[in-house]
Amino acid sequence: MKNNKTKLIKLLAALAGVVSATTATAQLEMGGWQTHFSYRNINQLVQTPEKIYAESNGNIFSVDKSYNSIETYSKITGLSDGNITKIAYDENKDLMVICYSNLKIDIIKNGVIYKFTEIADKEMSSKTLNNVSFGKKYVYLSMGFGIVTINTQKMEIADTYIIGDKGSYISVLQTQETADSIFALTDGKIYSADINDKNLANYQHWTVDIAPEKKLTSMAYFNGKLNLLGNNWYVKEGNNWRTPEPEITNISSAHVSGNYLTLTSKSKNTVAIINKDYKIDTLMGGAVNDAVYDAKSRHLWKASDSLRYISRESGRVDNAFLPDGPSSNTVVFMKMDAGNILSGVGQAYGEKATLQIFDTDQWSQISYDDIIKDNADVQFKAIWDACYDPKDPRRLYVGTWFNIFEFYDNQFVKQYTRDNTPFTGGASTQVEKLLKDKDGYLWALNTNAGELFHCMDPAGEWHTITSSSVYKLFRASDFIITKKNNLKVMTAYWISSQGRPCVHIMQSGSKPYSIANQKTFTSFNISDGSTVSPSHIYCVAEDNNGELWVGTDVGPIVMKNLANVFNSNYTANRIKLTRSDDASLADYLLATEQINSIAVDGANRKWIGTYSSGAYLLSSDGQKTIHHFTKDNSPLTTNSITSIAIEPNSGMVYISTPDGMFSFKSDAAEGKKTLDDVHVYPNPIRPNYYGDITITGLMEDTEVRITDMQGHVVSHGKSNGSVYTWNGYLADGRHASTGIYYVFQATQDGENSNVAKFAIIKK
C-alpha cells in the first residue's frame, strides 16, 4: 500500500497557520494564490482540544476556542483537494481525517499530512463514502461496497472487508468498535464480529442480526454502550435494544466527547446533550445542521448559516463566526467592473437573486431578502448581469429576467419594467446583458422577445435599435463596447430564426442608438482560406491592439482590422501552432477546447478559461503558453473555468469555477501614465526571502535595468504593463549578495525616466 506525506512548515500545527481568504491583495507575493469560498450553510463540525472545525460547501475553516480567531484551509495550505465531503477527529490519537468527493483521503497527525489516493485511483462500483469512524488501531471508512481500514501506526491502507451475503458488496452506513466487538450498520441489518479476529476480510466471520428498525443511519459507542441512531434512538442493553426516555427522533448527527453524547436533529431543529447516565443534560432548539459540546468551557457549538456557540451559563448565543466570503460558490456570471468583482447567484426563473460584490478586500451583497423588507412588490429574481455607472460608480444596475434594478450605495432606487421601457416578452423582461458606456448610455439586451438592443440615454429616455438578423435572440453570451472603434459586439449561443450561434457587430451612426453598419457572423472565413462554423460562441474580449478574441467550442477566433469588418470579403484568423513532431504541419490553438472566458492583461497577454482543461495564460499573439493551470498543478479544485476577470491596477487575476473563486497574483498590470509612483517590494529583501522582487507603477513597455552599486547590470528587460519582476539570481546562478540595488526605468521614446532603489540583506 502507498501513501504520501507532506511536512508542514515548523510554525504550523496540523491545519493551522493559513493564508486566509481575506488576506489583502497587496500582501500576496507575485505568483501567489488565494481562495474566495462561501462558508455559509455549515454542514459538519468536529472539535479538537483547541479548535472547532467546520465544513461548509465542501470547504473547511476553524475557530480557536481561546482566541476566537478564524482560519481557512485549502490546497494552498496543503490539503489534497477541494469538495470536502467528510471531516472526522479521533480525540484519543489527536488525529484528523478529511475526505473529498473524489475519495482522496487526508489524515493529519503531529503536523504531517498523510495523503491516500488508492480508493480514488481504483476502478470499482459502489465507490461511495458513507462514514468515517475510529478504533484502537484503525480508521474505518464505511463505503458503498464494504469497509476499508487504514492502519494509523503505519499510515497505510490495511485491509478491505467485503461482508455481504456470500462475500458480495454491501453498503455499510457506519462501522463502530466497542470494547470487544466490531459492528457494521447496513440498511436494516447489523453485522458484528470479534474485534480480535485476524480474518475479518472473510464474510463468514461476521454475524448478521436484524436491526430494531430499518431507518437507522449511524452508530455511537458511548459510556460502554452501543447506540443506534436515525429515525429513533436505541441503546443496546445485553442482547436487547431499548429506547431512552425522553425520546429523541430524526437524529442526523452524533458526537461523543468525554462524558457527553451530543445528538442533533436537523429536521426537528433540536440539540440534546446526553450525560453518562443517559439522561438529557440539556435540550436546545433553533435551526441547526450539526452540533458539538465542549464540556470544559460549557459551550455548545452549533452549525447553521454560521458557526455559533451558546454558553450554558447564560443560555444565549455569545458569538457567531463566519469567514469573509461570497454567499455562494456557484454563480451565474462573474466580471470586473469599476474595480470591483461582481457576481450573481440565482439564475433560474423565479429563483431569489443575490448580487455579490468584492472590492478586492471585503465581500458584501445585495439580496432578495434585503430588498423585500422594505419593497414587498419587488421581484429581485433570476439575476443575469450587473454594471456600474462609469461616471458615478456609486450607481449600480442589475439585470434580471423580470426587470432592471437601479441601486445607489447598494440601496434600491428604481425598477425598469415593461411599463416604463420598450422591453417586450411574456411574463418577464429577460434582460440578460447590461452595460453602461462612458457617455452615460445604459445598454440592455432583451432576449427571447422582439428587438434585442435597447438603451437609456443620460436623460432617462429609452431607445430601441432595429436589427432583424438577431430579432428574438434566444440567448446572449457576451456584450462589449470596444475602446478602439466604439463598436457594439454581442455574442450569442443560438438564434431562434437561424439556429446558429453568432457574433453581431454594430457601428453607431450620428447618435449612439442609430446604426450606420451592422453585421452578423454565424461562420468565419479564415485568412488561410478555410471556413469555420462554431456550434457555440461563449465570449468576446478586446485586446490592447483593438483586436477581438472570440471564445468558441473550437478554440479562439481572432478578428483583426475591425475597420474592415463590414466588408463582404472580411476574414478572421485562427492561431496556428507548429507541431513538435513535424515542423511542416500546424494545429489550431486550443481547437478541441470550449473557451468559456477570455481576459486581457496589462501586457496584452490572453487569459483563457476552458470548460474542461483549466486556465491558460498565452503570449499576446497566442503563440506561447506561459502558464497552464489545472487542478493538478495549482490550487484549482476543478478544470472547469466559468469566468476570468483581471483587476487592471494590481494585475490580480480572478478565476471563477463551479467550486468557487480563486485569485492569482500575475506579473502584469495595466501600464501607468507616468513613472511618478514606482515601488519595489519587498524592500528590503531579507535573508529568508527567495521569491520574486517586484517593481510596480511602470508605464507600458518601460525599459528596466537593475544594477548593483558598482553599476553592473543584474537584470534588464521590458515591463509587463506596469510590472517588472526579477528572481534575485545572477547569471551564474548565485543569489544576489547584500547591498543596495538601483532600478533604472525609461520609456522607449526617452521622454519619461526614473530611478528607484532597494536593499538586499543576506546576513
Side-chain angles (χ1 to χ4, degrees):
M1 299 296 177
K2 62 178 181 178
N3 70 72
N4 299 310
K5 63 181 182 180
T6 302
K7 190 72 177 177
L8 301 182
I9 63 174
K10 187 179 294 185
L11 295 178
L12 294 181
L15 286 180
V18 181
V19 178
S20 170
T22 59
T23 303
T25 296
Q27 296 176 347
L28 192 65
E29 69 179 51
M30 199 64 65
W33 287 84
Q34 291 174 307
T35 58
H36 308 271
F37 294 150
S38 172
Y39 295 95
R40 298 175 186 269
N41 191 32
I42 299 166
N43 300 304
Q44 302 176 71
L45 299 179
V46 297
Q47 70 167 321
T48 71
E50 296 82 22
K51 296 182 178 183
I52 302 293
Y53 289 87
E55 178 273 321
S56 172
N57 302 314
N59 304 294
I60 59 172
F61 71 94
S62 70
V63 174
D64 189 284
K65 295 179 183 178
S66 299
Y67 300 102
N68 288 350
S69 57
I70 298 176
E71 292 177 314
T72 60
Y73 310 97
S74 68
K75 288 175 69 176
I76 296 173
T77 63
L79 300 187
S80 287
D81 219 315
N83 295 306
I84 296 167
T85 56
K86 300 287 182 185
I87 56 175
Y89 177 74
D90 184 354
E91 62 181 21
N92 295 318
K93 298 186 184 68
D94 188 24
L95 175 151
M96 180 172 283
V97 177
I98 300 175
C99 306
Y100 305 90
S101 60
N102 58 11
L103 292 180
K104 290 182 179 179
I105 310 289
D106 286 350
I107 297 182
I108 300 103
K109 184 177 182 181
N110 298 329
V112 177
I113 302 179
Y114 297 84
K115 300 185 177 184
F116 297 81
T117 63
E118 290 92 333
I119 303 174
D121 294 341
K122 190 170 184 179
E123 294 292 333
M124 60 191 310
S125 61
S126 304
K127 203 166 69 171
T128 302
L129 176 63
N130 295 320
N131 201 285
V132 179
S133 56
F134 303 96
K136 297 181 181 68
K137 187 177 179 180
Y138 297 118
V139 174
Y140 294 103
L141 305 178
S142 300
M143 309 294 300
F145 57 83
I147 302 167
V148 175
T149 64
I150 299 177
N151 187 310
T152 57
Q153 294 176 339
K154 297 181 179 180
M155 282 299 171
E156 63 182 18
I157 291 182
D159 212 339
T160 300
Y161 306 154
I162 308 299
I163 62 174
D165 185 33
K166 297 182 180 180
S168 61
Y169 286 172
I170 190 169
S171 181
V172 177
L173 302 177
Q174 185 175 337
T175 308
Q176 182 64 59
E177 269 194 19
T178 64
D180 54 10
S181 301
I182 181 171
F183 293 86
L185 177 66
T186 68
D187 186 17
K189 296 180 181 179
I190 302 172
Y191 290 71
S192 62
D194 187 328
I195 194 62
N196 297 310
D197 193 318
K198 302 298 184 182
N199 195 16
L200 292 177
N202 187 335
Y203 75 95
Q204 294 177 323
H205 289 226
W206 292 75
T207 300
V208 184
D209 293 307
I210 302 300
E213 69 169 71
K214 195 168 185 179
K215 294 184 179 180
L216 297 170
T217 56
S218 64
M219 297 184 288
Y221 186 57
F222 175 58
N223 198 26
K225 296 179 181 180
L226 183 65
N227 293 253
L228 295 179
L229 309 164
N231 246 20
N232 293 288
W233 173 26
Y234 299 91
V235 178
K236 190 172 181 61
E237 301 279 5
N239 293 322
N240 299 314
W241 297 97
R242 71 174 179 88
T243 303
E245 297 290 343
E247 188 177 12
I248 306 294
T249 60
N250 298 94
I251 298 168
S252 51
S253 67
H255 295 275
V256 175
S257 182
N259 292 324
Y260 292 92
L261 170 66
T262 306
L263 302 178
T264 300
S265 175
K266 181 178 178 180
S267 62
K268 300 290 186 180
N269 292 327
T270 301
V271 177
I273 302 173
I274 312 299
N275 63 27
K276 62 181 180 179
D277 297 322
Y278 279 82
K279 302 295 183 182
I280 294 180
D281 189 271
T282 303
L283 189 67
M284 293 185 178
V288 61
N289 296 329
D290 198 4
V292 294
Y293 178 58
D294 180 11
K296 182 178 179 180
S297 64
R298 292 178 60 80
H299 288 164
L300 176 68
W301 293 81
K302 296 175 64 178
S304 55
D305 58 344
S306 63
L307 176 59
R308 304 169 183 269
Y309 69 71
I310 300 174
S311 170
R312 291 183 62 196
E313 303 297 336
S314 63
R316 66 176 186 271
V317 176
D318 287 339
N319 219 330
F321 303 89
L322 192 68
D324 186 43
S327 61
S328 174
N329 290 328
T330 306
V331 299
V332 181
F333 67 90
M334 186 274 285
K335 64 195 295 188
M336 173 65 67
D337 196 344
N340 292 341
I341 288 288
L342 301 178
S343 60
V345 179
Q347 181 186 53
Y349 185 87
E351 186 179 0
K352 294 179 180 179
T354 298
L355 179 69
Q356 304 178 141
I357 304 169
F358 183 54
D359 65 4
T360 71
D361 185 54
Q362 191 171 15
W363 287 88
S364 60
Q365 64 180 35
I366 300 172
S367 71
Y368 172 91
D369 292 333
D370 295 331
I371 298 174
I372 204 70
K373 293 175 183 176
D374 301 315
N375 306 277
D377 60 336
V378 173
Q379 295 295 305
F380 192 60
K381 298 179 179 179
I383 190 170
W384 281 86
D385 202 3
C387 69
Y388 283 103
D389 183 341
K391 293 188 174 181
D392 184 1
R394 297 167 69 183
R395 193 175 305 281
L396 174 68
Y397 298 90
V398 179
T400 74
W401 268 20
F402 287 85
N403 302 307
I404 295 176
F405 295 82
E406 181 181 340
F407 298 89
Y408 199 80
D409 287 338
N410 293 351
Q411 299 299 309
F412 174 67
V413 173
K414 186 178 180 179
Q415 285 187 89
Y416 298 91
T417 70
R418 285 176 298 167
D419 297 330
N420 57 6
T421 70
F423 299 153
T424 58
S428 62
T429 57
Q430 201 160 319
V431 175
E432 288 192 5
K433 298 297 173 185
L434 273 181
L435 190 156
K436 195 160 191 180
D437 65 26
K438 58 183 177 58
D439 298 318
Y441 286 81
L442 178 67
W443 292 82
L445 272 58
N446 177 204
T447 58
N448 201 26
E451 293 292 353
L452 173 66
F453 297 99
H454 307 272
C455 72
M456 183 179 69
D457 64 28
E461 184 178 352
W462 282 91
H463 308 272
T464 298
I465 297 88
T466 301
S467 178
S468 59
S469 62
V470 289
Y471 188 78
K472 289 189 177 181
L473 178 80
F474 180 70
R475 183 60 50 79
S477 55
D478 209 350
F479 180 57
I480 66 170
I481 299 178
T482 64
K483 297 177 182 178
K484 297 287 185 179
N485 299 291
N486 198 32
L487 299 174
K488 282 75 177 176
V489 182
M490 181 275 303
T491 62
Y493 296 117
W494 184 69
I495 306 173
S496 57
S497 61
Q498 298 180 11
R500 297 292 307 172
C502 74
V503 174
H504 184 78
I505 301 178
M506 298 189 303
Q507 183 181 47
S508 297
S510 58
K511 296 180 180 180
Y513 48 84
S514 65
I515 299 299
N517 288 297
Q518 58 181 324
K519 189 173 182 179
T520 302
F521 293 85
T522 56
S523 63
F524 299 86
N525 294 324
I526 304 302
S527 56
D528 63 7
S530 63
T531 300
V532 62
S533 300
S535 298
H536 295 88
I537 298 177
Y538 298 96
C539 60
V540 62
E542 181 189 17
D543 76 2
N544 299 343
N545 296 326
E547 300 173 355
L548 295 182
W549 284 60
V550 180
T552 77
D553 62 330
V554 290
I557 295 171
V558 184
M559 303 181 72
K560 302 180 179 182
N561 303 315
L562 292 182
N564 302 322
V565 75
F566 300 107
N567 295 345
S568 60
N569 61 350
Y570 178 80
T571 58
N573 295 78
R574 298 181 77 187
I575 297 168
K576 287 186 175 181
L577 304 177
T578 302
R579 287 173 52 171
S580 58
D581 59 338
D582 189 338
S584 66
L585 300 176
D587 294 322
Y588 290 123
L589 173 68
L590 301 175
T592 60
E593 299 293 343
Q594 174 179 312
I595 309 299
N596 284 341
S597 183
I598 301 176
V600 180
D601 70 14
N604 204 30
R605 303 178 304 182
K606 280 67 180 183
W607 285 84
I608 307 288
T610 70
Y611 174 76
S612 60
S613 66
Y616 293 80
L617 171 59
L618 306 178
S619 59
S620 60
D621 60 3
Q623 288 291 325
K624 181 181 178 182
T625 298
I626 300 167
H627 291 302
H628 178 201
F629 294 123
T630 69
K631 64 181 181 180
D632 295 325
N633 65 6
S634 76
L636 296 174
T637 55
T638 173
N639 288 333
S640 180
I641 311 300
T642 54
S643 301
I644 298 180
I646 301 173
E647 203 290 305
N649 293 318
S650 67
M652 186 68 76
V653 180
Y654 294 90
I655 302 173
S656 178
T657 77
D659 293 346
M661 192 172 77
F662 303 79
S663 58
F664 173 78
K665 188 63 177 292
S666 172
D667 61 352
E670 191 173 275
K672 305 299 181 182
K673 295 182 179 180
T674 70
L675 294 174
D676 295 339
D677 194 27
V678 175
H679 293 280
V680 182
Y681 72 89
N683 187 15
I685 291 88
R686 300 193 180 277
N688 61 346
Y689 182 78
Y690 288 92
D692 283 343
I693 300 163
T694 303
I695 297 95
T696 64
L698 302 170
M699 299 174 68
E700 187 173 351
D701 291 333
T702 299
E703 294 281 353
V704 177
R705 289 178 179 267
I706 302 176
T707 72
D708 60 18
M709 292 183 67
Q710 288 73 41
H712 301 121
V713 177
V714 296
S715 179
H716 66 89
K718 283 186 180 181
S719 65
N720 282 333
S722 66
V723 178
Y724 182 84
T725 60
W726 176 42
N727 62 12
Y729 286 87
L730 305 177
D732 61 6
R734 293 181 297 115
H735 199 276
S737 59
T738 298
I740 302 297
Y741 291 79
Y742 295 93
V743 182
F744 295 92
Q745 318 121 45
T747 54
Q748 290 181 316
D749 57 15
E751 293 185 1
N752 292 272
S753 61
N754 195 5
V755 180
K757 63 182 179 179
F758 62 93
I760 294 180
I761 303 171
K762 284 299 170 186
K763 295 180 180 179

